[in-house]
């Protein structure tokens, strides 16, 4: 199959007289991914977001690199004290070190974001593949199901479901929020995957592979998936940013993470209560959450632009 | 057109039943002890228990309860909140406030995004265009939980330009800052779509014709180009409605506005299942109807679009 690809792409420039400018590179056809990478490398915004995402990931994996203070060690005698030594951002209402809490909060955000996006990714992939490849009544049924899911505004469903799943008063809510976001956020991805699969299914190379006697499983996983997955994966990068924001929103409303779990959303919610007199306990977690979500969305946006041939 | 509307209405019926059923199942299936949740810490006497069980049909099966609920919806009875007030009454109190908030937000968002979108499309590649593209990206990414408290802090408390919280009557002046916050979620996508649409339309043949017959630049842009560029913007306003609703929950919570989102958030905290289901089903019906309206408006704006 790879032979056929190379042949068709290698032949195409031959038909257009003014395409090959440097004769050295003429024989090396570039794939869509290669093209996108060449395009991405030149963009400043891509590198800025990569650096920001990398910092957040390191913060989530090894928070002790940034702070040695224990975020759970709070003393009321420190209430609203200004920045001192290691506690760069001062102390909050409970006398907790804001800097340590903000740094340690990255882990829960990333864990919930990544796991829920992975869950949504798997569900959306199977829904999209099944609906797109098999078509017919299955497609009609699955598409109606997606319509129903989209009929309920996301946050409303999220509040109800998350509240329902975290009925155990002792749990920290991480599992409940991850499951909630995963179960609710796959719909738009499934639609994208479905249309990508439908357009890939009708390509000549799929027809050729079918005529050569490929089984459906081989058709799907060797031919259709690799050729329709790009836009889906890009969408998941964007979804990761959105899910991190949704976790903070649910936690902010009191139906997300709870008890002693550190979450930027909870810190913002606590911060707003006393913002009139002490703004900093609100400002720092809000900035960290904002910058993290921005980094992921910027990354997704840049990658999507690079992978979309129509925008070039 | 007629056939299209009928088909859409049938789809809506299906979506409505599916969505309310899912919601009802989520709230009421395997409920722990709603009576205890209702009275809180106080002990419940046997007779109270029997009376409440009867009033809320708690002794009957799940599907029977769903049947009662559906029957209520179609006879205009949206249920009774655990606080004893009718859901419909509470909705009637809260609804005008949220509607006012949403309308102000939509007006602000539409004004800003259309003028800025047109301007940056005209000066494509310029400083204004690049700066505004970056700002919209930042706005697009900022979650409402970040924008709402920060705007309240900066413009409401520190600078004191706007009242930081609303009172019971929620005047337009009090709603202005929260409406700006809400508008922030929709400004970014609307402005981007306007910009792309205007850029495309500026190259269209009819624009060249309009110029050639000697129309002024202002008229070409604001009448010819804009009308054709507004189509995707209008759809987006419909699509964004879900986002606005979600944003309203957080914004009303932060700014203490006695609207739908505020009541809903409180109902969830106090485990007032009937109120949650009542409010959300009204919202879902509205959401579906507005989406239908937007689809029809789409056809009215663009005569090229025909639904069979």
């Amino acid at each position: 199959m790879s032979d056929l690809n190379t042949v068709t792409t290698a032949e195409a420039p031959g038909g257009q007289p003014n395409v090959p400018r440097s004769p050295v590179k003429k024989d090396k056809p570039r794939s869509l991914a290669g093209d996108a990478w060449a395009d991405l490398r030149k963009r400043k915004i891509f590198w800025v977001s990569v650096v920001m995402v990398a910092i957040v990931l390191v913060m989530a994996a090894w928070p002790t690199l940034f702070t040695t203070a224990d975020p759970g060690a709070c003393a009321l005698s420190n209430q609203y004290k200004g920045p001192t030594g290691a506690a760069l951002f001062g102390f909050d209402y409970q006398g907790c070190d804001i800097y340590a809490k903000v740094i340690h909060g990255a882990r829960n955000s990333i864990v919930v974001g990544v796991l829920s996006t992975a869950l949504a990714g798997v569900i959306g992939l199977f829904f999209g593949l099944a609906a797109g490849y098999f078509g017919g009544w299955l497609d009609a049924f699955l598409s109606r199901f997606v319509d129903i899911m989209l009929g309920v505004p996301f946050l409303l469903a999220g509040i109800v479901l998350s509240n329902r799943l975290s009925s155990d008063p002792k749990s920290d809510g991480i599992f409940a929020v991850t499951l909630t976001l995963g179960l609710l956020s796959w719909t738009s991805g499934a639609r994208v995957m479905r249309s990508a699969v439908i357009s890939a299914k009708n390509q000549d190379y799929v027809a050729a592979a079918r005529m050569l006697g490929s089984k459906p499983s081989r058709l799907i996983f060797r031919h259709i998936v690799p050729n329709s997955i790009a836009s889906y994966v890009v969408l998941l990068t964007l979804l990761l940013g959105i899910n991190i924001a949704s976790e903070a929103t649910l936690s902010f409303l009191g139906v997300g993470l709870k008890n002693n779990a550190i979450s930027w959303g909870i810190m913002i919610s606590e911060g707003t209560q006393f913002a009139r007199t002490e703004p900093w306990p609100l400002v720092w977690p809000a900035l960290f959450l904002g910058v993290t979500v921005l980094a992921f969305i910027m990354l997704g946006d840049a990658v999507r632009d690079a992978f979309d041939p129509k925008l070039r | 057109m007629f056939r299209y509307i009928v088909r859409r209405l049938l789809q809506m019926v299906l979506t409505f039943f599916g969505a309310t059923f899912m919601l009802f199942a989520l709230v009421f299936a395997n409920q722990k002890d709603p009576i205890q949740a209702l009275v809180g810490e106080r002990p419940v006497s046997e007779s109270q228990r029997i009376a409440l069980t009867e009033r809320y049909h708690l002794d009957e099966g799940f599907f029977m309860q769903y049947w009662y609920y559906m029957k209520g919806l179609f006879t205009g009875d949206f249920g009774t909140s655990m606080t004893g007030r009718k859901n419909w009454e509470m909705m009637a109190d809260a609804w005008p406030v949220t509607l006012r908030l949403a309308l102000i937000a939509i007006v602000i968002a539409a004004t800003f995004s259309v003028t800025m979108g047109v301007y940056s499309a005209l000066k494509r590649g310029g400083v204004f265009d690049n700066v505004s593209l970056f700002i919209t990206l930042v706005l697009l990414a900022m979650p409402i939980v970040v924008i709402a408290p920060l705007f309240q802090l900066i413009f409401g408390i520190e600078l004191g330009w706007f009242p930081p919280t609303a009172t019971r009557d929620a005047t337009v002046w009090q709603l202005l800052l929260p409406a700006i916050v809400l508008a922030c979620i929709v400004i970014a996508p609307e402005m981007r779509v306007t910009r792309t649409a205007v850029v495309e339309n500026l190259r269209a043949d009819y624009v060249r014709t309009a110029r050639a017959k000697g129309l002024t630049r202002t008229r070409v842009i604001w009448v010819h180009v804009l009308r054709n560029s507004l189509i995707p913007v209008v759809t987006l306003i419909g699509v964004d409605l879900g986002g606005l609703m979600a944003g309203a929950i957080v914004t009303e919570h932060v700014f203490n506005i006695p609207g739908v989102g505020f009541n809903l958030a409180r109902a969830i905290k106090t485990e007032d299942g009937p109120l949650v289901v009542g409010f959300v089903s009204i919202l879902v019906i509205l959401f579906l109807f507005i989406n239908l309206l937007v689809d029809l408006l789409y056809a009215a704006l663009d005569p090229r679009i025909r639904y069979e």
Side-chain angles (χ1 to χ4, degrees), chain A residues 25 85 107 126 168 174 193 198 255 265-266:
Chain A
K25 285 181 183 171
R107 177 172 291 176
F126 277 100
D168 177 13
I174 293 181
M193 193 62 200
I198 288 177
V255 286
I266 298 178

Side-chain angles (χ1 to χ4, degrees), chain A:
Chain A
M1 210 57 218
S2 62
D3 286 343
L4 189 66
N5 268 331
T6 340
V7 170
T8 45
T9 36
E11 265 173 7
Q16 298 161 306
N18 53 357
V19 165
R21 254 171 258 134
S22 54
V24 190
K25 285 181 183 171
K26 191 178 68 179
D27 291 324
K28 199 163 175 281
R30 278 198 307 201
S31 62
L32 176 66
D35 250 8
W37 171 237
D39 190 51
L40 269 180
R41 261 191 325 205
K42 283 179 285 189
R43 291 166 141 249
K44 255 183 253 141
I45 208 159
F46 170 71
W47 289 112
V48 171
S49 55
V50 164
V51 169
M52 277 165 30
V53 166
I55 293 176
V56 176
L57 290 181
V58 171
M59 214 171 4
W62 300 284
T64 42
L65 282 180
F66 295 83
T67 172
T68 48
D70 175 10
C74 308
L76 269 181
S77 56
N78 282 335
Q79 190 183 41
Y80 291 141
K81 265 194 193 162
T84 49
L88 292 174
F89 300 161
F91 296 88
D92 66 5
Y93 174 68
Q94 304 276 2
C96 306
D97 180 346
I98 298 174
Y99 177 69
K101 264 182 98 171
V102 161
I103 294 287
H104 281 267
R107 177 172 291 176
N108 282 339
S109 279
I110 297 294
V111 166
V112 171
V114 169
L115 290 183
S116 62
T117 308
L119 178 61
V122 172
I123 301 177
L125 184 71
F126 277 100
F127 254 76
L129 270 179
Y133 182 78
F134 294 107
W137 66 266
L138 187 66
D139 181 24
F141 175 75
L142 294 180
S143 296
R144 279 297 84 74
F145 186 70
V146 170
D147 280 350
I148 291 176
M149 297 265 312
L150 288 171
V152 186
F154 179 75
L155 189 64
L156 293 181
I159 290 172
V160 174
L161 183 58
S162 173
N163 198 35
R164 192 75 239 199
L165 289 174
S166 63
S167 49
D168 177 13
K170 268 176 264 158
S171 83
D172 52 11
I174 293 181
F175 177 72
V177 174
T178 308
L179 199 60
T180 302
L181 295 179
L183 288 178
L184 293 177
S185 62
W186 55 268
T187 40
S188 51
R191 283 191 166 176
V192 168
M193 193 62 200
R194 173 179 169 272
S195 52
V197 167
I198 288 177
S199 75
K201 189 175 74 170
N202 297 322
Q203 298 292 320
D204 289 342
Y205 61 81
V206 175
R210 187 178 289 131
M211 272 184 278
L212 288 172
S214 299
K215 284 180 302 198
S217 61
R218 188 181 159 82
L219 272 182
I220 293 175
F221 292 106
R222 289 297 299 274
H223 300 300
I224 294 176
V225 169
N227 285 293
S228 53
I229 199 99
S231 52
Y232 186 67
V233 171
V234 173
L235 193 89
L236 290 186
T237 334
L238 286 171
L239 188 63
L240 183 56
I242 295 171
N243 277 353
I244 290 176
S246 304
E247 178 270 313
T249 309
L250 290 176
S251 301
F252 175 85
L253 290 172
V255 286
L257 304 193
K258 43 193 169 183
N259 294 331
N260 288 322
I262 304 174
S263 156
W264 291 332
I266 298 178
M267 292 179 75
I268 294 175
S269 155
E270 283 172 0
T272 42
Q273 289 168 22
F274 306 101
R276 223 173 261 269
T277 47
E278 296 292 333
W280 294 111
L282 158 66
V283 171
W284 288 117
L287 280 183
F288 270 68
L289 173 65
V291 169
T292 305
V293 176
L294 179 66
F296 279 104
I297 302 244
M298 255 162 55
L299 183 66
D301 207 51
V303 177
R304 182 180 56 188
D305 284 356
F307 268 97
D308 192 346
K310 273 175 267 167
L311 287 175
R312 279 209 204 112

Side-chain angles (χ1 to χ4, degrees), chain B residues 81-290:
Chain B
S81 144
M82 289 288 207
T83 59
R85 285 186 73 191
K86 289 263 176 226
N87 281 343
W88 186 243
E89 258 173 55
M90 297 184 78
M91 196 71 183
D93 277 353
W95 185 243
V97 177
T98 303
L99 190 68
R100 213 179 313 158
L101 178 68
L103 279 182
I104 304 173
I106 288 177
V107 169
I108 294 175
T111 324
F112 255 90
S113 51
V114 170
T115 39
M116 310 256 281
V118 171
Y119 190 72
S120 69
L122 293 177
K123 311 262 174 199
R124 195 154 52 104
V127 179
F128 180 82
D129 187 28
N130 279 321
V131 170
S132 68
L133 267 185
F134 184 73
I135 292 178
T136 48
L137 182 64
V138 173
L139 276 184
L140 203 63
M142 280 302 142
I144 196 96
V145 279
V146 171
I147 300 183
L150 282 188
F151 272 36
Q152 186 191 35
L153 178 66
I154 297 170
F155 301 109
I157 298 172
E158 296 292 326
L159 296 173
W161 292 353
F162 301 96
T165 49
T167 49
R168 263 193 71 84
D169 35 303
T171 57
V172 173
W173 172 235
Q174 286 168 345
L175 291 181
L176 206 55
L177 185 58
I180 293 174
V181 169
L182 263 187
C184 281
I185 351 175
V186 275
I187 281 183
E190 278 175 20
M191 185 178 155
R192 285 189 162 197
V193 168
T194 314
R195 178 184 170 276
T196 326
V198 170
V199 166
E200 264 172 30
N201 282 324
L202 277 177
R203 284 196 297 245
D205 288 342
Y206 69 86
V207 171
R208 203 174 42 202
T209 314
R211 283 227 179 98
K213 68 183 187 190
L215 293 182
T216 58
R217 193 176 145 78
T218 340
R219 194 177 158 79
V220 172
I221 289 165
W222 293 104
V223 177
H224 291 239
V225 173
L226 197 60
R227 177 170 173 189
N228 287 287
S229 311
L230 278 185
I231 299 156
V233 182
V234 169
T235 347
L236 208 63
I237 293 179
V239 173
D240 279 342
L241 211 78
L244 271 182
M245 234 178 251
I249 297 180
V250 175
T251 315
E252 289 181 0
H253 185 81
V254 169
F255 290 92
N256 230 7
I257 302 165
V260 177
F262 182 81
N263 277 296
L264 199 58
R266 199 177 47 189
I268 288 157
K269 283 220 171 125
T270 55
E271 295 197 11
D272 192 340
L275 182 60
V276 175
V277 170
F279 266 43
V280 175
S281 20
I282 299 172
L283 289 180
V284 169
I285 299 173
L286 267 172
F287 187 65
L288 294 175
F289 260 108
I290 293 177

